[in-house]
């Protein structure tokens, strides 16, 4: 009989972790406080690249590169198996990066990423809607994006098909530990026993494990996003400038975001940020003045000290694992994080060196 494994949290990280475990034949139950895929994983932009990727530690590049290589096939498989297409679209990312161009090109060379410096004309040709193309910008033609709410829906359907039990509207209130061994979890419906527990509770992971020794340093970081509906093709590329970006979906939906706010567990969108983002998108992309705002929302990213996730067993509690803290990059890092977490839980040879994501290392 295989081990019984409980996955806590039904975001993209928890669902992909459950999928990896189910693929290996484990008995998996996923516990979600609300509904799956409705928190950060729903709120995000779905860019399959860290923003300004050269600014990150190699440990993040390692996870991102592995995921980028696997995303197109994963999305195809999910679309085929569930009928819900996450719409992975490799329409490339343009970046305004001024004095970092040489550093970025050297990084791309070192990591074998396709990146080009482009002049103003080329930038304009690639994205005619940008009102202020820089003298020199950067272009990564292979960067893709996907519709994260659809990825979440297809993952949910896939897990059901694979026999994973999904228990929604069930908050986990504590971890059962005896003699340095994790025995299961506490919920309002009683204790659920398991051989292994993996915490994938996003921004709430630090809170959930707050009573244990060496609680992970994971905190919520709010991000606000705007959504517009335009005719398809109004915006062609992901364009990134400072901390703001525009993302065009295939059907003409356009996202613009995102703020970075340390306001605790408050995910209320604010009028002030809405106005700031609206003014900016209309100034940078004047064509957007024609289209009304459709939606404005906020989500809570799982912030970690250097953006490096915890993918590890607790150093003192056998059977208690974590896969959380992907911060701004939880969608792009998810397939690699999930695969690595499953390798550790199942005692397989890890697909990547797990050292940087160790419980103590990731705490910074
Ligand atoms: C505005 C914005 C834009 C973003 N853009 C991008 C992007 O373009 N690319 C990218 O890669 N990343 C992006 N991100 C980051 C990315 O969305 C997150 O890193 C990722 O979704 C984290 O996934 P998760 O599964 O860890 O967390 P979540 O999706 O938040 O899932 C955690 C789940 O755990 C559940 N949970 C919490 N506590 C408990 C409990 N006690 N019991 C049971 N269940 C519990 C929650 O209800 C939730 O469903 C963005 C984020 C935001 C907010």
């Amino acid at each position: 009989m295989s081990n019984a494994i409980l996955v806590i949290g039904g975001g993209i990280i928890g669902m992909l972790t459950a999928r990896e475990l189910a693929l290996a034949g484990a008995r998996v139950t996923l516990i979600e406080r609300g509904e799956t895929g409705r928190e950060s994983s729903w709120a995000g932009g779905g860019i399959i690249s860290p923003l300004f990727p050269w600014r990150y530690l190699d440990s993040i590049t390692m996870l991102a590169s592995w995921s980028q290589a696997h995303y197109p096939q994963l999305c195809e498989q999910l679309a085929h198996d569930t009928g819900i297409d996450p719409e992975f679209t490799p329409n490339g990312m343009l970046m305004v990066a001024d004095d970092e161009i040489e550093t970025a090109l050297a990084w791309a060379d070192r990591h074998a990423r396709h990146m080009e410096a482009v002049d103003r004309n080329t930038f304009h040709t690639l994205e005619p809607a940008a009102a202020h193309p820089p003298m020199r910008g950067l272009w990564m033609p292979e960067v893709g994006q996907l519709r994260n709410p659809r990825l979440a829906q297809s993952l949910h359907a896939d897990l059901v098909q694979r026999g994973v039990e999904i228990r929604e509207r069930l908050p986990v209130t504590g971890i059962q530990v005896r003699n340095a061994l994790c025995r299961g979890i506490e919920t309002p419906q009683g204790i659920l026993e398991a051989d292994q527990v993996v915490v994938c509770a996003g921004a709430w992971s630090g809170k959930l494990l707050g009573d244990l020794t060496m609680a992970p340093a994971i905190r919520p970081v709010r991000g606000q996003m705007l959504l517009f509906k335009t005719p398809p093709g109004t915006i062609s590329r992901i364009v990134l400038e400072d901390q703001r970006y525009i993302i065009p979906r295939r059907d003409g939906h356009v996202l613009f975001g995102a703020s970075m706010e340390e306001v605790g567990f408050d995910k209320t969108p604010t009028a002030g940020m809405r106005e700031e983002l609206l003014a900016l998108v209309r100034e940078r992309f004047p064509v957007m003045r024609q289209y009304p705002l459709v939606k404005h929302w906020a989500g809570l990213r799982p912030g970690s000290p250097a953006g490096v996730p915890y993918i590890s067993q607790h150093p003192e509690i056998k059977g208690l694992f974590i896969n959380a803290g992907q911060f701004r990059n939880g969608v792009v890092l998810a397939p690699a994080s999930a695969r690595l977490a499953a390798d550790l839980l199942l005692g397989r040879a890890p697909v990547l060196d797990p050292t940087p994501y160790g419980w103590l290392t990731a705490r910074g």
Side-chain angles (χ1 to χ4, degrees):
M1 192 70 166
S2 59
N3 278 0
I5 306 178
L6 289 174
V7 176
I8 305 176
I12 280 171
I13 299 293
M15 286 197 283
L16 269 169
T17 303
R19 184 174 188 268
E20 286 289 344
L21 293 167
L23 283 170
R27 277 187 298 136
V28 187
T29 304
L30 185 139
I31 312 288
E32 165 56 48
R33 186 187 53 179
E35 289 174 31
T36 60
R38 298 298 301 176
E39 291 291 350
S40 193
S41 297
W42 180 87
I47 303 175
I48 304 304
S49 172
L51 310 176
F52 306 109
W54 60 91
R55 294 182 189 168
Y56 286 88
L57 295 172
D58 283 355
S59 52
I60 293 179
T61 303
M62 261 162 53
L63 290 172
S65 301
W66 195 94
S67 295
Q68 285 163 333
H70 288 80
Y71 249 123
Q73 209 241 325
L74 172 66
C75 291
E76 233 171 75
Q77 184 80 48
L78 287 170
H80 175 268
D81 292 351
T82 68
I84 305 165
D85 186 354
E87 292 189 12
F88 175 81
T89 308
N91 55 344
M93 180 162 79
L94 278 165
M95 290 165 282
V96 179
D98 298 334
D99 51 359
E100 289 179 276
I101 288 182
E102 301 316 324
T103 311
L105 291 171
W107 170 89
D109 202 34
R110 208 167 58 247
H111 293 283
R113 313 309 298 168
H114 187 168
M115 181 190 281
E116 296 165 24
V118 289
D119 62 15
R120 185 182 292 243
N121 279 344
T122 311
F123 197 108
H124 175 75
T125 308
L126 288 164
E127 184 45 80
H132 312 286
M135 285 293 285
R136 257 180 115 211
L138 286 167
W139 169 232
M140 294 184 79
E142 288 162 8
V143 167
Q145 46 135 330
L146 51 77
R147 300 184 80 155
N148 26 311
R150 290 185 187 205
L151 174 64
Q153 284 164 18
S154 64
L155 281 171
H156 183 119
D158 187 68
L159 292 180
V160 171
Q161 284 173 14
R162 291 184 188 283
V164 171
E165 186 186 357
I166 300 180
R167 297 189 62 179
E168 294 181 299
R169 284 168 280 281
L170 185 60
V172 176
T173 49
I175 309 291
Q176 281 268 304
V177 182
R178 254 177 293 131
N179 301 329
L181 203 62
C182 178
R183 307 281 176 162
I185 58 168
E186 294 155 23
T187 79
Q189 293 178 19
I191 289 167
L192 297 183
E193 292 188 347
D195 300 300
Q196 292 171 309
V197 169
V198 52
V199 174
C200 306
W204 295 269
S205 303
K207 204 174 176 180
L208 180 60
L209 299 173
D211 291 341
L212 300 181
T213 55
M214 294 176 264
I218 296 177
R219 66 188 195 284
V221 179
R222 184 168 72 188
Q224 301 195 40
M225 189 83 94
L226 306 183
L227 177 73
F228 302 84
K229 182 77 175 77
T230 72
T234 302
I235 306 289
S236 313
R237 316 289 180 186
I238 301 164
V239 184
L240 182 56
E241 183 175 4
D242 297 327
Q243 292 304 317
R244 307 288 186 239
Y245 47 79
I246 197 161
I247 310 172
R249 301 299 196 209
R250 288 183 198 172
D251 67 355
H253 277 109
V254 172
L255 289 95
F256 190 76
S259 61
M260 289 274 281
E261 302 162 83
E262 303 264 359
V263 290
F265 287 95
D266 178 1
K267 57 170 191 174
T268 322
T270 63
M273 187 53 68
R274 183 186 63 222
E275 293 315 307
E276 190 181 320
L277 292 173
L278 257 182
L280 194 60
V281 69
R282 288 173 176 162
E283 198 267 325
R284 300 321 247 182
F285 302 90
V287 68
M288 295 303 293
R289 291 177 195 156
Q290 299 172 39
Y291 305 106
L293 181 63
V294 172
K295 215 167 179 176
H296 169 211
W297 66 75
L300 299 177
R301 305 176 183 92
S304 49
V308 179
Y310 291 70
I311 309 170
S312 173
Q313 182 165 219
H314 191 286
E316 292 178 357
I317 305 172
K318 200 159 175 278
L320 176 61
F321 291 79
I322 187 169
N323 182 7
Q326 280 78 4
F327 205 176
R328 300 195 81 176
N329 297 308
V331 182
V332 54
L333 303 187
S337 302
R339 173 63 185 270
L340 181 58
D343 289 342
L344 299 179
L345 275 133
L346 299 170
R348 297 188 303 213
V351 70
L352 294 172
D353 175 9
T355 314
Y357 323 105
W359 200 292
L360 298 177
T361 329
R363 283 177 114 215

